[in-house]
Amino acid sequence: MLSDGVWVVVAGGVEHWVRVAGAGNGDVPLVLVHGGPGESSYSIEQSVGDEVAKLAPVVFYDQRGCGRSARPADPSTYTMEQLVADLDELRTALGVERIVPWGASFGCLLAAEYAVAHSNHVDALILHAPPIIDPLHPGLWTMRPGAVDVFLTPDERTALRTQLDGVTESIERTVAALGAIAGSANAARFFYHDPANIPPDENAPESNLEMAMALVGNERVELADDLADLDVPVLILAGLWDRHVGFDMPRDLATRLPRATLEIFDRSAHSIHDEQPGEYVEAIRRFLVR
């Protein structure tokens, strides 16, 4: 039985930070699968987490090496296969048979891979800004320089284009683009439709860049096809102004999936939970009472 509180769960030989909220609701628990790769559940937990926990039990956890969880002794375990195995060990340790993986950004890839591998343990899926593409799409990382370019100042734009001249490897181009936006005077506009919505929070855990570099660009191109073969309800949450993942990927994925519901947030970029928190929670509520 789930119990509210903060716990340590060992999965894949690594201690994972776990928090359960809303256990008394007695329904299938939502398991927040955070983004990054290498970030933590902190942002969504702090913004809308407890409101969602009023609707159903919610399990927050930080993936191996992330946030408040321990780092593995062997960094070669930063793989999608291991993260899927960790999530299933977590489910077993919590004593629940079925879950609703609630993925955010990169976490949507993990949530979807888990659903494909363990469909018998998945009641539904919630995908916030899913970067899940079909095999013919050029890919998120290939498109990253173009997404960043529009927000740079003229001098920053010229510098990035000069830096990328002759560079064809997508990860190298991505790293350069991310470096440009990170140092830009307009960086906030890349992640938020309205920069005034950025929550001031000095307690957010630092990112695990080692994990990020191990997983970025290794997405499985067959995932969208495999996910479309599942008979599972899926809620897709998409910010109209999302430049990080884009709007077309969530929209097109919703078209592919047989039981998908697409919710569009017209005043949000990537961090919908910060920009339209009330509407975000309401969309999840409607989905859960379907």
PDB file of all heavy atoms in Angstrom, residues 21 52 69 134-135 145 160 221 255:
ATOM      1  N   ALA A  21       2.603  11.418  -2.582  1.00  0.00           N
ATOM      2  CA  ALA A  21       1.590  12.364  -2.109  1.00  0.00           C
ATOM      3  C   ALA A  21       0.224  11.908  -2.610  1.00  0.00           C
ATOM      4  O   ALA A  21       0.110  11.342  -3.695  1.00  0.00           O
ATOM      5  CB  ALA A  21       1.893  13.779  -2.605  1.00  0.00           C
ATOM      6  N   VAL A  52      -2.017  18.185  -8.290  1.00  0.00           N
ATOM      7  CA  VAL A  52      -2.333  16.949  -9.004  1.00  0.00           C
ATOM      8  C   VAL A  52      -2.572  15.814  -8.012  1.00  0.00           C
ATOM      9  O   VAL A  52      -3.422  14.948  -8.226  1.00  0.00           O
ATOM     10  CB  VAL A  52      -1.207  16.591  -9.997  1.00  0.00           C
ATOM     11  CG1 VAL A  52      -1.469  15.242 -10.663  1.00  0.00           C
ATOM     12  CG2 VAL A  52      -1.066  17.672 -11.068  1.00  0.00           C
ATOM     13  N   SER A  69      18.600  11.883  -5.907  1.00  0.00           N
ATOM     14  CA  SER A  69      18.987  10.472  -5.960  1.00  0.00           C
ATOM     15  C   SER A  69      20.510  10.342  -6.038  1.00  0.00           C
ATOM     16  O   SER A  69      21.206  11.285  -6.414  1.00  0.00           O
ATOM     17  CB  SER A  69      18.342   9.776  -7.162  1.00  0.00           C
ATOM     18  OG  SER A  69      16.938   9.679  -6.993  1.00  0.00           O
ATOM     19  N   ASP A 134       8.454  10.365 -35.540  1.00  0.00           N
ATOM     20  CA  ASP A 134       8.394   9.196 -36.408  1.00  0.00           C
ATOM     21  C   ASP A 134       9.746   9.032 -37.123  1.00  0.00           C
ATOM     22  O   ASP A 134      10.575   9.946 -37.119  1.00  0.00           O
ATOM     23  CB  ASP A 134       7.256   9.339 -37.421  1.00  0.00           C
ATOM     24  CG  ASP A 134       7.480  10.487 -38.387  1.00  0.00           C
ATOM     25  OD1 ASP A 134       8.380  10.384 -39.245  1.00  0.00           O
ATOM     26  OD2 ASP A 134       6.753  11.507 -38.290  1.00  0.00           O
ATOM     27  N   PRO A 135       9.980   7.869 -37.709  1.00  0.00           N
ATOM     28  CA  PRO A 135      11.306   7.605 -38.300  1.00  0.00           C
ATOM     29  C   PRO A 135      11.717   8.554 -39.415  1.00  0.00           C
ATOM     30  O   PRO A 135      12.919   8.641 -39.730  1.00  0.00           O
ATOM     31  CB  PRO A 135      11.164   6.166 -38.825  1.00  0.00           C
ATOM     32  CG  PRO A 135      10.131   5.548 -37.943  1.00  0.00           C
ATOM     33  CD  PRO A 135       9.138   6.651 -37.682  1.00  0.00           C
ATOM     34  N   PRO A 145      19.637  24.014 -33.574  1.00  0.00           N
ATOM     35  CA  PRO A 145      20.205  25.321 -33.941  1.00  0.00           C
ATOM     36  C   PRO A 145      19.174  26.268 -34.546  1.00  0.00           C
ATOM     37  O   PRO A 145      19.176  27.466 -34.246  1.00  0.00           O
ATOM     38  CB  PRO A 145      21.296  24.954 -34.950  1.00  0.00           C
ATOM     39  CG  PRO A 145      21.706  23.577 -34.549  1.00  0.00           C
ATOM     40  CD  PRO A 145      20.421  22.905 -34.139  1.00  0.00           C
ATOM     41  N   LEU A 160      27.067  32.253 -33.710  1.00  0.00           N
ATOM     42  CA  LEU A 160      26.657  30.848 -33.773  1.00  0.00           C
ATOM     43  C   LEU A 160      26.767  30.320 -35.193  1.00  0.00           C
ATOM     44  O   LEU A 160      27.269  29.204 -35.415  1.00  0.00           O
ATOM     45  CB  LEU A 160      25.227  30.683 -33.259  1.00  0.00           C
ATOM     46  CG  LEU A 160      24.672  29.260 -33.356  1.00  0.00           C
ATOM     47  CD1 LEU A 160      25.484  28.293 -32.504  1.00  0.00           C
ATOM     48  CD2 LEU A 160      23.196  29.226 -32.936  1.00  0.00           C
ATOM     49  N   VAL A 221      14.180   5.449 -32.980  1.00  0.00           N
ATOM     50  CA  VAL A 221      13.292   6.022 -33.990  1.00  0.00           C
ATOM     51  C   VAL A 221      12.009   5.213 -34.172  1.00  0.00           C
ATOM     52  O   VAL A 221      11.021   5.721 -34.702  1.00  0.00           O
ATOM     53  CB  VAL A 221      14.016   6.175 -35.346  1.00  0.00           C
ATOM     54  CG1 VAL A 221      15.159   7.163 -35.230  1.00  0.00           C
ATOM     55  CG2 VAL A 221      14.512   4.827 -35.865  1.00  0.00           C
ATOM     56  N   THR A 255      -1.877  12.778 -33.412  1.00  0.00           N
ATOM     57  CA  THR A 255      -2.548  12.286 -34.618  1.00  0.00           C
ATOM     58  C   THR A 255      -2.288  10.798 -34.824  1.00  0.00           C
ATOM     59  O   THR A 255      -3.154  10.056 -35.292  1.00  0.00           O
ATOM     60  CB  THR A 255      -2.047  13.071 -35.849  1.00  0.00           C
ATOM     61  OG1 THR A 255      -2.296  14.465 -35.652  1.00  0.00           O
ATOM     62  CG2 THR A 255      -2.750  12.606 -37.112  1.00  0.00           C
TER      63      THR A 255
END
